[in-house]
Amino acid sequence: MSRPRRIIVDTDPGIDDAMAIFFALASPELEVVALTTVFGNAHTPVCTANALRLLEIAGRTDIAVAEGAHAPMAMPFRGPADFVHGGDGQGDASLAPPSTRPVLEDAVELIVDRVMSAPGEITLVPLGPLTNIARALQAEPRLAANLAGIVLMGGNAFCGGNATPAAEANVVNDPEAADIVFGAACPIVMAGLDVTERIVMTGAQLDLIGEVDHPRAQHLAAILPCYRRFAREASGLDGIHVHDSTTISYLLAPQHFSHRSHQIRVDTGHGVGRGKTWPRTRPAQHGDDPWAGRPPVTILTDADVDAVVRLELGRLGVGL
Ligand code: BDR
Ligand code: CA
């Protein structure tokens, strides 16, 4: 097998973040270099504790956790999504506190250090608001040129939002940061709601995770009921949208996805559209061009749902 692809996962764990992290850790094609944390589904210190706990559960305390931003770049934090992920970000499953600690570097320092010391090798996988990534791009102007790429969960190009009618949760939690990241001069893949809301893991499939005799699967079985309750109440869904794990599925099996390529701007205004990711779908006609100079972004638009769900469940130990 070729060398594993090296990734840094920037995350706000988060129930679907936990699924994505375990999915990545169970995939030999990927080397998880570090987890960096950000506010989002919970406040940052809670997300950091969760990241540490997840690595302890997975038996991977060799992987560094670096704490990141506590608030967006240009506004106060809108507040945790406790109605989705529980007050502790992990389904109110009464987890023991972690016994490990984050490294002394903060998230931006870690990202810049690891990327610049391995030029062209590292892919960033952001699963939360893009604050740390934007700050790292600002702190080191050569960062983008030294990345293998960014594969992120966030945004909505051709569909409505989930946090507001216009916007997706990760992007609306820091639209200014997202607009910086979508302007980075490196390959960017956007796994937003266009594709993640098409990928449903059914209740019956989720039940199979609980039958797997492995600490990772048992942790997911303990935290998933909270997420399933929200999906049932919010969308009448018997199952969940597979948001964050879609990044990992794409890294492992891009052939299962269809995509379109457009430049992206993020609405950073303070009206109803705040946080909407706008693809440029027609050429500039006259006057100012807000998309000028932006790199094309690979926007995932659809997937072979059965193949993607089977891939993730298989890696989590479910025999299908
Ligand atoms: C995103 O928002 C968070 O609640 C999830 O963890 C995911 O990253 C989906 O919009
Ligand atoms: Ca997340």
Side-chain angles (χ1 to χ4, degrees):
M1 198 174 82
S2 55
R3 249 179 103 194
R5 186 155 171 178
R6 306 184 71 208
I7 63 173
I8 294 177
V9 180
D10 187 73
T11 175
D12 59 338
I15 295 173
D16 61 326
D17 299 74
M19 294 182 78
I21 290 164
F22 286 166
F23 182 19
L25 292 174
S27 297
E29 302 92 333
L30 300 175
E31 177 193 338
V32 179
V33 173
L35 304 183
T36 52
T37 63
V38 66
F39 65 90
N41 293 325
H43 287 285
T44 306
V46 177
C47 292
T48 303
N50 290 345
L52 292 165
R53 278 190 199 120
L54 292 171
L55 292 178
E56 290 173 6
I57 291 164
R60 290 302 308 275
T61 53
D62 56 304
I63 296 173
V65 174
E67 183 159 291
H70 286 222
M73 297 182 91
M75 64 181 193
F77 175 29
R78 288 159 43 96
D82 46 5
F83 52 98
V84 186
H85 298 269
D88 63 354
Q90 291 290 284
D92 289 322
S94 306
L95 303 171
S99 54
T100 48
R101 297 186 56 76
V103 295
L104 294 178
E105 296 163 286
D106 68 22
V108 169
E109 290 167 339
L110 183 142
I111 290 169
V112 169
D113 174 73
R114 302 302 189 275
V115 172
M116 297 309 288
S117 53
E121 281 189 25
I122 292 182
T123 300
L124 299 180
V125 183
L127 308 179
L130 290 156
T131 320
N132 292 333
I133 313 302
R135 288 202 185 287
L137 289 163
Q138 287 183 330
E140 175 46 87
R142 297 168 300 167
L143 191 79
N146 284 279
L147 281 168
I150 300 174
V151 180
L152 65 90
M153 191 285 134
N156 53 306
F158 305 106
C159 64
N162 60 355
T164 75
E168 184 276 330
N170 289 340
V171 173
V172 84
N173 264 327
D174 197 344
E176 283 76 13
D179 198 43
I180 291 170
V181 172
F182 282 114
C186 65
I188 301 178
V189 177
M190 170 177 146
L193 301 180
D194 306 281
V195 65
T196 66
E197 287 194 338
R198 291 175 189 265
I199 306 176
V200 173
M201 220 176 250
T202 65
Q205 288 167 328
L206 292 166
D207 287 342
L208 296 174
I209 296 176
E211 293 173 16
V212 177
D213 182 19
H214 190 288
R216 281 192 309 247
Q218 289 305 310
H219 177 74
L220 295 180
I223 66 177
L224 274 163
C226 175
Y227 204 47
R228 288 174 70 170
R229 202 174 316 119
F230 169 76
R232 196 168 46 242
E233 285 166 9
S235 337
L237 199 65
D238 175 24
I240 60 164
H241 290 132
V242 181
H243 291 301
D244 288 341
S245 293
T246 303
T247 56
I248 306 302
S249 297
Y250 177 80
L251 285 166
L252 298 177
Q255 71 276 12
H256 292 331
F257 292 86
S258 40
H259 56 84
R260 292 170 62 173
S261 180
H262 296 279
Q263 298 160 297
I264 296 270
R265 287 300 314 252
V266 179
D267 187 334
T268 54
H270 291 273
V272 292
R274 183 163 170 81
K276 160 75 179 150
T277 42
W278 286 109
R280 177 217 271 289
T281 50
R282 55 177 64 202
Q285 284 172 337
H286 47 71
D288 280 351
D289 176 10
W291 284 265
R294 293 246 142 181
V297 172
T298 300
I299 302 166
L300 304 186
T301 51
D302 206 351
D304 178 340
V305 174
D306 190 51
V308 166
V309 168
R310 278 172 174 273
L311 175 64
E312 176 164 3
L313 288 176
R315 295 296 167 94
L316 293 175
V318 175
L320 291 167

